Amino acid sequence: MSRPVPEEEYGKRVSGAFKLWMRGVRDPYLGNVEVSPETAGEEDETLLKGYQEETDRMIQRIHDIENNRRYRLFQKFYRAAAAICCLTLVVMLLITVAYLPPVGNADNPAHNEVAAKYIEDGLQDTGAVNIVTGMILDYRAFDTFGESNVLFIATCTVLILMRNDKKEGKGSAEEEERLDSFYEPKDDRILQTVAMILVPFIILFGIYVILNGHLSPGGGFSGGAIIGSALILYLNAFGFEKTERFFTAKTYKIISFSALSFYCIAKSYSFYTGAHHLESGIPLGTPGSILSSGLILPLNICVGLVVACTMYAFFALFRKGGF
């Protein structure tokens, strides 16, 4: 039986510091970066006036198009370069079109062996009845993993640009409460009643689309978008205070990190065994049953979770600047 570790000692360990950072409890850089206070310098009125006059002369010279020889030369060069680029692109496209095979020719790229492989061997290789899902999450799973990472990186970028952290000294408690109430709904009974009825059904339908993606049209992207729209509808009806009872920034981090990590580990194992011609040991199951198609079902769930969280995070950040 392991002994309990004090909180201070736990925070000094690498694993403990990482978990505290993931939960948003501790920032390793907060208070550890030396910041020198900016000293106000004395302003020289004569020097400032000289800078202003020099700036005015420069702006007047740059915007004097009629007498600015360099600007006129640049305009002529820009127009000539634009015309040459457009003509070159048009000529390249016309030459490419001229070399295209006739419509309906058996040697066309649309009739190559890749499409035939997907259609003829897709069910046997992937166990998915839906050929499109088998292609996206098995033959081209690495590409789909990149798309999921793009969604996660896009959310991180929007979070960096638009997050509105509440810091001490930013404003009084009454001011912060007033700003928060601005983003909350005004007790719209019609919207709340409709959301209370529809949101559970929308989420259930999104889960159905995700779980049924390898059997019929659907999958992680479409099902995740449906669940994300349900979360947005709930947020518009009941506000951030009630939504944050089950979905916070910590929830988003855990779900996205877990889903992308499982996707990466699972497909890395699959790629490794496939590249070395080894048996993966992952059963494909009976085609047509819900528990079939190997890794496609859990990968669909991972993609759906990432898409749903990303949609809700985008809406929350653009609306309020936080979860």
Side-chain angles (χ1 to χ4, degrees):
M1 184 175 181
S2 60
R3 63 179 182 85
V5 181
E7 185 176 355
E8 295 182 358
E9 182 181 349
Y10 177 75
K12 294 179 181 179
R13 297 181 179 180
V14 177
S15 59
F18 178 75
K19 290 180 181 178
L20 292 176
W21 174 75
M22 285 291 296
R23 296 202 301 265
V25 177
R26 179 183 299 179
D27 188 347
Y29 295 102
L30 188 62
N32 297 326
V33 180
E34 183 178 356
V35 180
S36 301
E38 184 177 356
T39 57
E42 298 181 359
E43 297 182 352
D44 189 348
E45 294 294 337
T46 305
L47 187 60
L48 291 176
K49 186 177 180 181
Y51 286 156
Q52 186 63 39
E53 291 177 355
E54 184 179 352
T55 304
D56 294 340
R57 284 196 302 269
M58 182 181 66
I59 294 175
Q60 184 178 4
R61 182 179 178 184
I62 292 175
H63 291 277
D64 188 8
I65 300 174
E66 296 180 357
N67 300 320
N68 193 332
R69 183 169 175 271
R70 291 185 178 180
Y71 184 81
R72 294 200 307 270
L73 290 175
F74 174 77
Q75 270 193 328
K76 294 179 180 179
F77 172 77
Y78 178 81
R79 292 173 182 173
I84 292 172
C85 290
C86 290
L87 289 175
T88 304
L89 181 61
V90 170
V91 171
M92 291 174 61
L93 292 175
L94 290 176
I95 294 174
T96 304
V97 171
Y99 278 95
L100 288 177
V103 178
N105 192 345
D107 296 329
N108 284 359
H111 302 290
N112 59 18
E113 64 275 5
V114 177
K117 171 68 175 177
Y118 291 160
I119 297 173
E120 296 173 2
D121 301 332
L123 181 61
Q124 179 181 354
D125 293 342
T126 66
V129 178
N130 186 356
I131 299 176
V132 176
T133 303
M135 178 184 66
I136 294 175
L137 289 176
D138 193 281
Y139 292 116
R140 296 182 57 194
F142 187 77
D143 178 61
T144 307
F145 176 64
E147 294 173 2
S148 301
N149 277 284
V150 166
L151 293 176
F152 179 72
I153 295 171
T155 308
C156 294
T157 305
V158 174
L159 181 65
I160 293 171
L161 295 176
M162 304 195 66
R163 183 167 182 175
N164 183 19
D165 289 325
K166 296 178 181 178
K167 299 179 180 178
E168 296 182 1
K170 184 178 179 181
S172 61
E174 294 79 6
E175 180 68 16
E176 290 185 356
E177 184 178 356
R178 186 188 67 81
L179 291 176
D180 283 345
S181 63
F182 175 79
Y183 298 102
E184 298 298 325
K186 307 303 185 227
D187 293 330
D188 190 333
R189 294 300 178 186
I190 297 177
L191 178 60
Q192 291 180 352
T193 304
V194 172
M196 188 165 41
I197 297 173
L198 291 182
V199 166
F201 291 99
I202 296 174
I203 293 177
L204 285 175
F205 180 66
I207 295 173
Y208 164 78
V209 172
I210 293 175
L211 299 181
N212 208 48
H214 58 292
L215 305 177
S216 64
F221 285 102
S222 52
I226 295 172
I227 296 176
S229 64
L231 294 175
I232 293 173
L233 176 60
Y234 186 89
L235 175 63
N236 284 325
F238 298 101
F240 283 92
E241 183 178 356
K242 290 187 177 181
T243 309
E244 288 175 356
R245 294 177 181 176
F246 61 90
F247 196 101
T248 61
K250 178 183 176 182
T251 309
Y252 168 76
K253 291 179 182 178
I254 294 175
I255 293 177
S256 298
F257 180 78
S258 302
L260 292 174
S261 298
F262 175 82
Y263 193 114
C264 180
I265 294 171
K267 290 313 297 182
S268 296
Y269 170 76
S270 179
F271 293 153
Y272 178 82
T273 56
H276 293 80
H277 304 285
L278 301 175
E279 290 293 336
S280 64
I282 302 173
L284 297 179
T286 303
S289 62
I290 188 68
L291 297 177
S292 62
S293 70
L295 287 173
I296 291 181
L297 178 59
L299 294 183
N300 254 331
I301 297 174
C302 292
V303 173
L305 291 174
V306 172
V307 172
C309 292
T310 302
M311 285 189 59
Y312 175 80
F314 274 173
F315 184 83
L317 289 170
F318 276 98
R319 183 177 180 183
K320 186 182 178 182
F323 294 95

